Amino acid sequence: MTSASAALPRQQGRTKAFLRLVMIEHSVFALPFAYIAALTAMYRLDGNIHWVRLLLVTVCMVGLRTFAMAANRIIDREIDARNPRTAHRELVTGAVSVKSAWTGALIALAVFLGAAALLNPLCLALAPIAVIPMVVYPYGKRFTNFPQAILGLAQAMGPVGAWIAVTGEWSWQAVVLGLAVGVWIGGFDLIYACQDVETDREVGVKSVPARFGIPAAIWGARGCHLVTTALLVWYAVATDADVFFWIGLAVVAGAFVYEHSIVKPRDLSRLNRAFFQVNGFIGIALFACALLDLLVRGLTV
């Protein structure tokens, strides 16, 4: 085997390790809502799908999320090493070096900024603002008991940015959808944090369950998802959504009920199902219904 052919598998292995590090598949949580905002904006703009803009929105979302996850893992690597649940992560085991992680993060950031520049001047001007909460969030657990609020703010920017990417203008309808996404993700992160309560207290990591207990966190998540449903209703009314979007909202509400029926303060055994499967389903289901609704109303492919 030549040195060049030997280097290729090693590079592929490092790339796969980096993609595992940033959990690229979790883009399914926020990306559908960016699509809902972008497609709704296109429908209201001229009724046509602008595929290049939609592609650039995708690049922006994946690029910024990849940067955020890599930065999160780099900043939290010492905390991760002290937690049995996260001690297998790539920066802890050495599967990915800190240098490689920073390289990947900066490349992702450059891709995000480049795509924003190709969209319109307002996107580029606001892009650095979107980066700030992505970096602040991992530090949040060191100074506040409510780091999920920072995470929610970071995630809320997706739909707002997607709408601006299409129209070049601010939209309060997109803000409502963004708030729904932020409160939703902040809520299910409250549930996810419940599995690390004892370790967080030992290490000194701050969170709602570590400070107030698991029952308070579960009830907080239920409240968040009730607010999420109300905000989605508000968005539907504000954008004159039709029957298929409302069907999607009914599906989302049912999914929330199911999620909170299988996760209880004294039984976290199905937490991963609630976090990964149910919440992934929520985004995809609402996007499918929203897309169908827009197509029926006249959005042209």
Side-chain angles (χ1 to χ4, degrees), residues 7 12 27 43 62 70 75 79 94 100 112 117 123 136-137 163 167 189-190 204 225 229 252 272 284 288 292 294:
Q12 291 175 337
S27 299
Y43 170 75
V62 175
I75 293 166
I79 292 176
S100 295
F112 163 66
C123 277
V136 172
Y137 167 64
W163 193 293
T167 65
D189 198 60
L190 284 174
H225 292 159
T229 304
V252 168
N272 282 332
I284 294 172
L292 181 58
L294 290 169

Side-chain angles (χ1 to χ4, degrees), residues 47-290:
N48 296 305
I49 295 180
H50 298 263
W51 291 103
V52 173
R53 291 188 196 178
L54 199 60
L55 175 61
L56 289 173
V57 166
T58 305
V59 173
C60 280
M61 290 290 294
V62 175
L64 183 56
R65 186 197 170 278
T66 299
F67 166 76
M69 283 297 297
N72 191 327
R73 294 289 190 256
I74 293 167
I75 293 166
D76 279 352
R77 63 188 185 280
E78 294 182 2
I79 292 176
D80 288 342
R82 300 173 65 182
N83 185 335
R85 185 181 65 82
T86 58
H88 67 283
R89 287 178 175 169
E90 289 74 13
L91 280 172
V92 179
T93 63
V96 176
S97 68
V98 174
K99 180 180 178 181
S100 295
W102 272 123
T103 299
L106 294 176
I107 290 173
L109 180 60
V111 168
F112 163 66
L113 294 174
L118 290 173
L119 282 163
N120 57 61
L122 185 56
C123 277
L124 180 59
L126 295 178
I129 298 175
V131 174
I132 294 172
M134 306 298 177
V135 178
V136 172
Y137 167 64
Y139 289 109
K141 65 192 70 173
R142 293 161 169 83
F143 63 80
T144 177
N145 291 312
F146 305 95
Q148 285 78 21
I150 304 173
L151 176 63
L153 175 62
Q155 298 297 328
M157 294 186 180
V160 179
W163 193 293
I164 293 173
V166 172
T167 65
E169 298 177 352
W170 183 264
S171 166
W172 288 108
Q173 293 100 322
V175 170
V176 173
L177 181 59
L179 288 174
V181 174
V183 175
W184 167 55
I185 290 180
F188 74 65
D189 198 60
L190 284 174
I191 298 174
Y192 194 68
C194 288
Q195 61 189 323
D196 293 327
V197 168
E198 296 303 323
T199 302
D200 286 350
R201 288 171 177 169
E202 292 175 7
V203 174
V205 171
K206 297 179 181 293
S207 71
V208 170
R211 172 64 179 82
F212 301 103
I214 292 176
I218 297 295
W219 279 105
R222 291 170 180 171
C224 284
H225 292 159
L226 185 62
V227 171
T228 298
T229 304
L231 287 168
L232 289 174
V233 169
W234 185 1
Y235 176 78
V237 172
T239 56
D240 300 316
D242 214 329
V243 61
F244 288 107
F245 191 92
W246 289 101
I247 291 173
L249 282 184
V251 172
V252 168
F256 280 148
V257 171
Y258 173 71
E259 178 177 10
H260 290 286
S261 72
I262 65 174
V263 177
K264 298 179 174 61
R266 297 184 181 278
D267 182 11
L268 301 178
S269 60
R270 290 182 286 182
L271 184 148
N272 282 332
R273 180 189 299 180
F275 183 81
F276 295 109
Q277 297 179 12
V278 177
N279 287 296
F281 168 78
I282 284 172
I284 294 172
L286 187 61
F287 167 68
C289 290

